[in-house]
Structure formats: structure tokens, C-alpha cells
Amino acid sequence: MANLKEIKLKIGSVKNTQKTTKAMKLVSSAKLTRTRQLSEQARSYAKKINEVLSEIANRVSKVQDGGNDSKAFVPVENPKTVDLVFVTADKGLCGGFNMATIKTVSKLAAEYEAKGTKVRYRVAGRKGVDYFSFQGVQLTQKVSDLSSAPDYDRAAEFIGEVVKDFQNGETDKVVLVYNGFLNMLTQEIRVRDLLPISLEDVEVSENESSMLEIEPDDDEEVLEELTAKYIDFNMYYSLIDSLAAEHSARMQAMDAATTNAKERVDSLTVEYNKARQAAITTELIEIISGVEALK
């Protein structure tokens, strides 16, 4: 059995760890509250963009023969090259948050490669960069300080490179992957085709009044501008949503670590008391034995 001094040092060390994890939980909780508010605002804005984009795209499709011929809306059944754009955290200590995204990306890549499709990786987040770099995977694009501090201009710059390659024909499809916020206790992996944009699930009522007063001749120009805004904002929103999920995951991880630390302190305290009792018993036996020897 370890001596009393060693056990006491262990108890002190675990208590210090418990204080740290508890503080980190409180910090993550505060950050999550702020990020959730920003995420809710961004979600409302994204919904409106989607509605307007859908309306204009459908209006253009009705005018043009054969539907909307913009490259951003033309589906590709057998893409030759796919860009996987994904978001991970810049920091750890958030449980399996990052690995959930990484595993999904790896699975998607394997599925596309099995069909003979070339896969290119574009990652925002140090953990994703570090993992795939360690695995020897070539990263077409990487940034390590964007997911921890989402910025619209930088998000637009990042995704702008992806859109440029898509428009130039270097890639046929863009898939966005990130771990999003579902609720305080749950994160959800979200996979969506960012390009080409699919409007199959959008229902546009014939009797619905137009959301915008736009001249028919300007529809295509407005559609082009909205498409760019749609892509930029969806990238920005994925960063915000991922950050909220990261704080939620870290809060849970730190809560579990705090609970484990408390249980460890309790266990060490019992061990300390047993060792102390054993030491006292040994001393008493030695004293009694000494007294008996003097008789």
C-alpha cells in the first residue's frame, strides 16, 4: 500500500485537475450561450436566402428552354472529381467531436474512390489538418484558425477557392461536412451537397406572391449574385454551427472529467484513511509490544 504522503499528493493533484475541468466547463457553457444566439440569427438569415434563391432559380427555369442551365444548378450523376469541404475544431478536449467528423469524411472519401472518383480534401480546423497530414493525405486547401473564430469575409475567401475550381471545371461536385449543434447534449454530423445546388425539395407555389420585385430581364443577374451569397453564407453558417457544437461537446467532456475527478478523490480518500488506520494500528502494536517486553 502506498504511503500516506504519496496518497496525499495524489489527492491534491486530482483536486487541482478537478478545479481546472470545472472552470473549463463554465467557460464552454458561457461561450455556448453566445454562439447559440449567433447561430440562431444566422439560421434565420440562411433560411431567407434559400427561399429567395429558390424562387429566382425557378423563375429562370420557366423562362429558359430545358430549365436553368447555370453550372451551379446542373446535377452531375457521375462526378470525376469531388471536393470534400469539412470543418473541425482548432482545439481538443471535446470528446469525440472531431473524430466524428473525420470518420465521416474518411467514409465518404472511400465511397467516392470506390466508384473511381477523385477526392480532394479542403479543411478548416487544426485538428483535421493535423490528422490527415499525419496520415499522409494531400490537402488541397487548409486553414487552421478559422473554425475557432468564424469570420464571414474569411469564410467567403476560403469557399471562394472551392467555387472557382468548380466553375473552371476542375471539380464536378462540392460536399460540405461538419458536426453541427442539435441541442445541449447532442451534436449531429451534417453532410450536404453544396454544389451543384439542388432545388428538388423546394416547392414553389404558383399563387404565391413574389418575395422580391425584380424585372424578368434581371432574374439571371440576381440569381448569380444570390448563388454566390448563398454559398458564402452556408460556409459561414457551418463554421458557427460547428463552433456551437464544439462548445457543447467540450462542456460535456469537462463535466464528465470533473465527475471522474471527484470519484477519484473519494477513492483516494478511502485509501488514505485505510493507510492511516493501518499506520496507527502498527504504531499501537509496537508500543504494546515494547511495554510487554519491559515487564
Side-chain angles (χ1 to χ4, degrees):
M1 185 177 289
N3 61 46
L4 293 175
K5 186 176 181 180
E6 289 177 351
I7 298 175
K8 200 169 184 179
L9 286 173
K10 287 181 180 180
I11 291 175
S13 177
V14 175
K15 282 185 175 180
N16 288 335
T17 301
Q18 184 180 10
K19 290 178 182 178
T20 301
T21 55
K22 187 176 182 180
M24 291 181 69
K25 175 191 172 183
L26 294 174
V27 170
S28 294
S29 178
K31 289 183 176 180
L32 174 59
T33 300
R34 294 196 298 269
T35 308
R36 278 188 66 190
Q37 293 174 350
L38 183 60
S39 176
E40 289 171 1
Q41 294 172 0
R43 187 183 298 114
S44 299
Y45 185 72
K47 182 180 179 182
K48 288 299 180 184
I49 288 182
N50 293 352
E51 290 175 359
V52 176
L53 179 69
S54 300
E55 180 182 349
I56 301 301
N58 278 279
R59 281 168 55 173
V60 171
S61 296
K62 291 176 183 178
V63 174
Q64 296 175 345
D65 294 331
N68 188 355
D69 59 2
S70 171
K71 182 176 172 61
F73 293 90
V74 178
V76 179
E77 294 184 2
N78 299 306
K80 295 181 179 179
T81 305
V82 171
D83 273 351
L84 292 181
V85 181
F86 58 101
V87 180
T88 64
D90 285 329
K91 301 176 183 178
L93 298 177
C94 46
F97 174 80
N98 291 307
M99 282 309 300
T101 305
I102 290 171
K103 286 179 179 179
T104 301
V105 170
S106 299
K107 182 180 178 181
L108 280 173
E111 290 175 355
Y112 278 117
E113 289 171 349
K115 298 176 183 177
T117 303
K118 178 183 177 181
V119 175
R120 305 197 307 179
Y121 298 79
R122 298 176 183 265
V123 53
R126 181 174 288 108
K127 290 300 177 179
V129 172
D130 291 346
Y131 177 86
F132 284 101
S133 295
F134 181 78
Q135 296 295 323
V137 176
Q138 182 180 359
L139 300 177
T140 303
Q141 188 178 5
K142 58 184 178 181
V143 60
S144 298
D145 58 350
L146 180 58
S147 59
S148 58
D151 177 80
Y152 182 85
D153 291 334
R154 293 189 62 204
E157 181 182 354
F158 176 82
I159 200 66
E161 294 296 321
V162 182
V163 175
K164 182 180 178 181
D165 284 355
F166 177 80
Q167 295 292 354
N168 292 337
E170 294 182 34
T171 183
D172 304 308
K173 187 177 183 180
V174 178
V175 181
L176 179 62
V177 183
Y178 64 95
N179 203 347
F181 179 84
L182 188 60
N183 55 53
M184 295 291 286
L185 299 177
T186 312
Q187 300 81 47
E188 181 181 59
I189 291 293
R190 289 167 184 168
V191 181
R192 58 180 304 181
D193 294 344
L194 192 59
L195 284 169
I197 300 170
S198 175
L199 300 175
E200 292 180 357
D201 299 328
V202 180
E203 294 183 3
V204 179
S205 174
E206 293 289 342
N207 299 322
E208 225 175 79
S209 59
S210 176
M211 297 177 61
L212 293 173
E213 293 296 332
I214 302 173
E215 294 296 329
D217 294 341
D218 297 332
D219 278 351
E220 290 188 46
E221 182 179 347
V222 172
L223 178 61
E224 184 177 347
E225 293 180 5
L226 277 175
T227 300
K229 183 69 68 176
Y230 166 86
I231 295 170
D232 292 347
F233 196 83
N234 272 277
M235 183 67 221
Y236 175 60
Y237 175 72
S238 71
L239 292 168
I240 296 175
D241 198 26
S242 177
L243 183 59
E246 177 191 339
H247 290 320
S248 173
R250 184 171 290 109
M251 186 178 69
Q252 289 178 264
M254 291 303 100
D255 181 58
T258 302
T259 300
N260 291 339
K262 182 180 181 302
E263 292 176 355
R264 182 57 177 160
V265 168
D266 292 342
S267 175
L268 287 171
T269 300
V270 172
E271 185 178 344
Y272 176 82
N273 290 335
K274 287 182 178 180
R276 183 168 175 270
Q277 186 63 45
I280 292 172
T281 302
T282 301
E283 289 177 4
L284 287 173
I285 292 174
E286 290 176 352
I287 292 171
I288 293 171
S289 298
V291 171
E292 292 294 327
L294 293 175
K295 289 182 179 181

